[in-house]
Amino acid sequence: QVQLVESGGGLVQPGGSLRLSCQASGSTLDLWRIGWFRRAPGKTPEGVSCVDWADGTTWYASSVKGRFTISRDNAKNTVFLQMINLKPEDTALYFCAADATRRKFSAYDEVPIFGDYLGQGTQVTVSS
């Protein structure tokens, strides 16, 4: 089992920045990928970004590419999502997600993570 705890959400004006953190604990040696989903009101959850826990390969949704940067600190079992130039459409509940099971994904999956484990979420609101 892996436990995930997010932090860093909040209210920010359009064009602003936020940095989300996700602390993993438990069976972290089993981690394959870790990343972020988001769920906006009235919309289906969207994969935002993920990173391969071992080699650091990253993936991004086209809607955030160039504005969001994912990084990890394996020693601290923590993954970060640096978000800049935030837009109102980025408003959502952001969930940290982790996979221990290795899966094959379609080439059309921009963010290849399933979410074996999910955090409780942290709210990001972009509004003036």
Side-chain angles (χ1 to χ4, degrees), residues 21-52:
S21 300
C22 173
Q23 173 75 54
S25 60
S27 302
T28 56
L29 291 178
D30 297 333
L31 287 179
W32 176 45
R33 290 181 182 163
I34 189 167
W36 299 88
F37 285 97
R38 67 185 180 186
R39 187 177 70 224
K43 295 187 177 181
T44 56
E46 173 190 22
V48 176
S49 180
C50 68
V51 59
D52 186 288

Side-chain angles (χ1 to χ4, degrees), residues 92-107:
L93 188 63
Y94 283 70
F95 294 88
C96 185
D99 283 353
T101 301
R102 294 173 179 262
R103 297 176 174 86
K104 288 188 176 181
F105 289 87
S106 163

Side-chain angles (χ1 to χ4, degrees), residues 4 14 20 29 36 42 64 69 75 78 106:
L4 304 169
L20 305 183
L29 291 178
W36 299 88
V64 306
T69 302
T78 302
S106 163

Side-chain angles (χ1 to χ4, degrees), residues 5-23:
V5 178
E6 305 95 333
S7 61
L11 173 64
V12 65
Q13 292 186 341
S17 301
L18 280 175
R19 188 193 197 206
L20 305 183
S21 300
C22 173
Q23 173 75 54

Side-chain angles (χ1 to χ4, degrees), residues 1 12-13 15 31 34-35 44 50 54 56 65 68 70 75 80 89-91 95 107 109 114:
Q1 294 291 317
V12 65
Q13 292 186 341
L31 287 179
I34 189 167
T44 56
C50 68
K65 194 171 291 185
F68 290 12
I70 193 168
F80 305 98
E89 51 264 42
D90 294 317
T91 295
F95 294 88
D109 284 316
F114 178 78

